[in-house]
Amino acid sequence: MRLAGCVLAIAVCQAFALASITFAQTAGTTSPKATPAKAAVKKERDVTIGAVFSGPVSQGTANAEELGSSGTPSVTLFKTENQMAPGIGVDAAFGFQLSRKLWFEAGARLMKTGLRTNITNDFEGASGVTIDAPVTRVSAEGALLWYFRNKGKMAWFVRGSGGVLSDLSGDGTVAENGFIGSGGVGFRYWWRTNGKGAFKRVGLRGEFKALVQSGGASLGQRSTSIGPAGAVHLVFGY
């Protein structure tokens, strides 16, 4: 009787041991493996400082006419061609990386340009005359850049911007406000990518674009005008 009890006790212990081993193996195969947390990708930033230029922008034509007795034009005294003269200036912007290819920029610009009137076809045969009125333009814009090709040190992007402008007369007493926008394509080239100090990268950026203006200083009847523009910048990345 004692022998039978001992055998039964041994059998029960073996059963419990086997069950424990099986449970441990099952738990080891079914429990999910811990995945290491991905390190957060550091978003890049940069500062651009450089020169900007704009081409002439037509603001329409007008004729100086003498009216006849019936109230209709009888003689054209002269013709005027109005435009915003070519301009040059400086600007600066801060750039913030939003994703791998998309960036946002905020910046300001100061330009020297002018209103220009060309007087031609004088009734009395006088030579043509050009009259210039200097204008100082101050503007602030926000922009989005999309880098569609980025290989090595060279990258290509498209850029669109929009903001506000204020055109000041030569003596600064008259101001005309309006809106400004642009769209174009450009490149960025890093000639230093692993520097020390605050700015790890230093490079050059160039851009050619179409400039759209609504409001601001004007001599013609056009409320919206489009003209060519461009920029060359030093870029400091950090």
Side-chain angles (χ1 to χ4, degrees):
M1 190 70 178
R2 290 181 179 178
L3 180 60
C6 292
V7 173
L8 180 60
I10 293 172
V12 171
C13 290
Q14 290 178 342
F16 273 109
L18 181 61
S20 299
I21 294 173
T22 303
F23 177 77
Q25 292 177 344
T26 304
T29 56
T30 58
S31 60
K33 294 183 179 180
T35 56
K38 293 184 178 180
V41 178
K42 182 181 178 181
K43 298 296 179 63
E44 297 180 357
R45 291 170 291 177
D46 63 28
V47 177
T48 59
I49 302 174
V52 293
F53 60 89
S54 61
V57 179
S58 175
Q59 293 190 343
T61 61
N63 294 331
E65 299 172 325
E66 181 178 333
L67 300 181
S69 58
S70 62
T72 58
S74 60
V75 177
T76 298
L77 301 177
F78 56 85
K79 178 181 179 180
T80 63
E81 298 178 354
N82 304 312
Q83 65 176 212
M84 180 66 74
I88 188 169
V90 295
D91 74 350
F94 293 94
F96 308 89
Q97 186 181 24
L98 302 178
S99 66
R100 188 170 66 90
K101 294 185 177 182
L102 185 64
W103 284 65
F104 171 76
E105 284 187 344
R109 177 178 301 129
L110 176 65
M111 291 192 69
K112 291 291 186 180
T113 179
L115 295 173
R116 176 172 295 172
T117 298
N118 295 316
I119 302 176
T120 58
N121 297 339
D122 184 78
F123 172 73
E124 297 180 348
S127 302
V129 177
T130 299
I131 302 174
D132 288 308
V135 173
T136 299
R137 169 167 294 178
V138 181
S139 61
E141 298 180 58
L144 288 175
L145 288 82
W146 178 264
Y147 285 91
F148 59 88
R149 181 175 176 81
N150 193 342
K151 187 175 182 180
K153 295 183 177 182
M154 176 67 79
W156 293 87
F157 62 86
V158 291
R159 184 179 186 271
S161 68
V164 294
L165 65 85
S166 182
D167 287 341
L168 307 175
S169 61
D171 57 5
T173 59
V174 179
E176 296 287 344
N177 301 321
F179 299 93
I180 191 170
S182 67
V185 62
F187 71 91
R188 182 196 66 198
Y189 177 78
W190 295 120
W191 65 65
R192 189 178 76 177
T193 58
N194 57 353
K196 297 181 180 180
F199 299 111
K200 307 298 183 182
R201 301 177 306 279
V202 179
L204 181 70
R205 197 175 91 178
E207 180 184 3
F208 180 78
K209 56 190 174 182
L211 192 66
V212 182
Q213 171 190 330
S214 177
S218 175
L219 292 172
Q221 299 178 350
R222 295 185 180 183
S223 59
T224 302
S225 55
I226 303 175
V232 178
H233 293 101
L234 290 175
V235 189
F236 303 91
Y238 60 101

